[in-house]
Every structure is written in C-alpha cells, then in structure tokens.
Amino acid sequence: MERKKTERKKIHVKSGDTVVVLAGKNKGKKGKVMKVIPDKGTVVVEGVNMIKKHQKPTQAMPQGGIIEKEAPVPDSKVMTVCPRCNRPTRMGRKLLETGKPARVCKKCGEVI
Ligand SMILES: [Zn+2]
C-alpha cells in the first residue's frame, strides 16, 4: 500500500493536542503536541523524548552548551487524549451542521 506520490503524509494529531505515547522508552508519557512534521510523519511532544543537544553560542547563551530538547516521535506511536473523557482515543470524523468536518472522540462523542 505504498503511494508513490509525493503528497504529504496525513498526520492524525494536530498541534495543541494532548497525546500519550504508546510504545518505546517514553511509553505512557503524556504531553502536548508542539509541532507536527508531516514530511517525516513525526510529531514533537512537549517533555517527551528529551535528548541532549549541543548548542552553538547564541546571544542569549554566549557560552553555548548542552540543552535538553524534545526529539520528534513517529505519529504512529502516539494517541490523542480526549480533553473531555481524558482517555486515549481514536478520533472519528463527522460533519458539523455547518458542513464543516470535525474530529470527534470515538469514546464520548465530544467534538475536539
Ligand atoms: Zn472523549
């Protein structure tokens, strides 16, 4: 089922979503999606998958140094947490009365 087209991968989470990590060393960690990188199929989640990175000197940090930074994780390893029922859930889709598509929690039906 590989597609040859160069279309961007559809990422199932959005920036600002709260997600939980399903696998790997960060399993069970929760955080907010800070960034979605569709070209790579990864997301950056606040406080998850921290790596140490050498930082070049900047004006704010003239010495440079080592900073901790979130590394992206594959979107397949995270699941959205519903803000209403607070459970990891798959998102369904439905059309609102206005005709706009919306994401809904498959567990409690909340529009997210
Ligand atoms: Zn829910």
Side-chain angles (χ1 to χ4, degrees):
M1 288 277 283
E2 292 230 359
R3 284 193 233 172
K4 286 248 163 166
K5 271 195 242 164
T6 53
E7 73 186 71
R8 292 184 145 198
K9 192 174 180 279
K10 203 71 168 157
I11 304 273
H12 70 95
V13 294
K14 284 201 304 189
S15 196
D17 281 356
T18 298
V19 295
V20 63
V21 181
L22 301 174
K25 67 179 165 118
N26 293 289
K27 190 174 174 180
K29 278 197 185 172
K30 254 190 218 177
K32 205 175 189 188
V33 176
M34 294 167 35
K35 199 175 169 191
V36 175
I37 307 160
D39 289 343
K40 295 193 172 152
T42 57
V43 295
V44 177
V45 185
E46 193 172 26
V48 168
N49 207 20
M50 302 300 288
I51 51 159
K52 289 204 164 72
K53 224 179 162 182
H54 292 273
Q55 174 89 350
K56 283 183 194 159
T58 59
Q59 276 193 336
M61 252 205 282
Q63 308 285 311
I66 297 169
I67 53 161
E68 280 206 283
K69 195 174 185 290
E70 289 91 349
V73 292
D75 81 316
S76 58
K77 285 197 178 167
V78 300
M79 193 173 240
T80 315
V81 175
C82 171
R84 182 174 167 192
C85 62
N86 207 27
R87 286 184 291 184
T89 180
R90 287 197 177 278
M91 293 292 157
R93 284 181 186 279
K94 73 168 188 184
L95 282 180
L96 296 178
E97 285 168 18
T98 55
K100 276 190 181 173
R103 298 189 306 165
V104 293
C105 169
K106 282 202 170 167
K107 295 209 167 118
C108 70
E110 177 82 349
V111 173
I112 293 166

